[in-house]
Amino acid sequence: MEIEISSFGTLFGLTMTVLLILKKVNPAYAMMIGALTGGLVGGLSMVESVQVMVLGAEGMTGVVLRVLAAGVLAGVLIESGAAKRIAEDILHKLGETKALLAITGATMILTGVGVFIGVAILTVAPIALSIAKRANISKFAILLAISGGGKAGNIISPNPNTIAAAEAFKVPLTSVMLAGVLPALGGVLMTYFLSKRLVKRGSLVLDRDLPEQVANEKLPSLAAALSGPAVAIMLLLLQPLFGVNIDPMIALPIGGIAGAIIMKKGRQLNTFATSGITKMTSVAILLLGTGTLAGIIAHSALISVILQTVDALGIQPYWIAPIAGVSMSAATGSTAAATAVAGNVFAPTIIELGVNALAGAAMVHAGATVLDHLPHGTFFHITRGSVNMELKERFKLLPYETVIGLGIVALSTLIFGMLLY
């Protein structure tokens, strides 16, 4: 489709999207309105703008199908009590003496095995608050531990953002997950040391912040709780290890089904799957809205401007990948949306410039975690509500989260850009 939108129009559309999200317009609608506005201001007719938006949304179809399929595993983990068992075991076994490391690690692992990041945060937070109350640790420190752990887990998970990165760069999902391991571990260490320095900063946990105790709640064993993700990951590993290609759209639901059977909750599988697809539907809709915006950016003169700037400054081409991820996370306030937009728009250019597809996927994905905590995204509000934190105090946490995100993308760029390019 030989259409080019002006750089000004594209930037205008992105700005419009951010402003609408800040005004609490549904992010999917905000992106659609921003895309349409960007097309019109950028010189297209109404018909051409809609055509470009539809093409962009069509490019998200594969991601959306895989995300919906992943709902089976997510639903099993959440509704069966598996997610809570994993979190409780990690937090209680490490105990109060290593509370912040336990909170960071629990959120990372829970997100990493396939629990959607918002749900992982809401699962860990009640237990973390109880530990923090006994250990006299501030909300500021525990929320930073939860947030940093979630960011680290998100780049090693079979979650929507990782699926979007794998789909955009046409690489195996497990390869993208493994590419995030070292940056994620670096993020965990950064989170732990930063949060440890903040144990006395900000408000303390009060009795009213503590969750109500649920009596006689029967949870599966840790081994059974981990069985679903283990089966899914083993199936996904068959491609890089043995050349047997089992798509995430098949592997992730099979993992969920296996997990339900092993936990002896097979009869509740339909209930789990229904809950999972309900949670994933909002993500799927967001990704379709994201696709409309990606379509506008992909047909924009802005890409040429960025490439010319990179060339004029003498910057190595691989820098486009992390910069694209960071900038889109700032625009969307979402790791999944940022990865989807940056991947779909910039993947062909990044690969054409000689950057390995997996390296590009890893750096874009890591970059998308840097600013996903900004106030126009849901992450900001979910984390704030999870520990009952005042808005003013939540804003003070933003610089620390940004440092952790920058640390993750810096490690990824060091490994996949500077060392392997």
Side-chain angles (χ1 to χ4, degrees), residues 100-115:
L100 291 170
L101 183 60
I103 293 166
T104 305
T107 318
M108 181 195 76
I109 291 169
L110 208 54
T111 310
V113 298
V115 178

Side-chain angles (χ1 to χ4, degrees), residues 13-62:
L14 284 169
T15 304
M16 174 69 75
T17 300
V18 173
L19 291 175
L20 288 172
I21 294 173
L22 285 171
K23 291 290 184 182
K24 301 191 185 306
V25 174
N26 182 283
Y29 282 129
M31 289 181 190
M32 291 170 69
I33 295 168
L36 181 61
T37 306
L40 295 174
V41 173
L44 301 188
S45 67
M46 181 72 75
V47 172
E48 289 173 329
S49 297
V50 172
Q51 285 177 339
V52 171
M53 289 168 65
V54 170
L55 282 173
E58 285 176 354
M60 291 292 177
T61 306

Side-chain angles (χ1 to χ4, degrees), residues 165-255:
E167 181 75 6
F169 285 87
K170 307 301 179 189
V171 292
L173 177 59
T174 43
S175 298
V176 182
M177 292 164 63
L178 290 170
V181 170
L182 289 178
L185 292 176
V188 167
L189 290 175
M190 286 184 65
T191 300
Y192 174 61
F193 288 116
L194 277 175
S195 59
K196 196 173 181 181
R197 296 175 67 88
L198 300 171
V199 289
K200 301 300 180 185
R201 177 167 179 175
S203 58
L204 294 172
V205 179
L206 304 175
D207 288 335
R208 66 170 179 265
D209 300 316
L210 297 176
E212 294 182 8
Q213 297 296 319
V214 179
N216 301 318
E217 187 178 11
K218 189 175 181 180
L219 299 176
S221 67
L222 181 60
L226 288 168
S227 62
V231 169
I233 291 169
M234 282 191 292
L235 290 173
L236 291 169
L237 282 171
L238 290 176
Q239 181 178 357
L241 292 178
F242 305 107
V244 179
N245 185 13
I246 298 182
D247 195 276
M249 193 161 63
I250 306 299
L252 297 177
I254 288 177

Side-chain angles (χ1 to χ4, degrees), residues 2 29 41 66 77 164 197 225 230 240 303 317 332 404 413:
E2 295 299 323
Y29 282 129
V41 173
R66 288 168 177 82
L77 285 168
R197 296 175 67 88
I303 295 177
T332 62
I404 293 167
T413 306

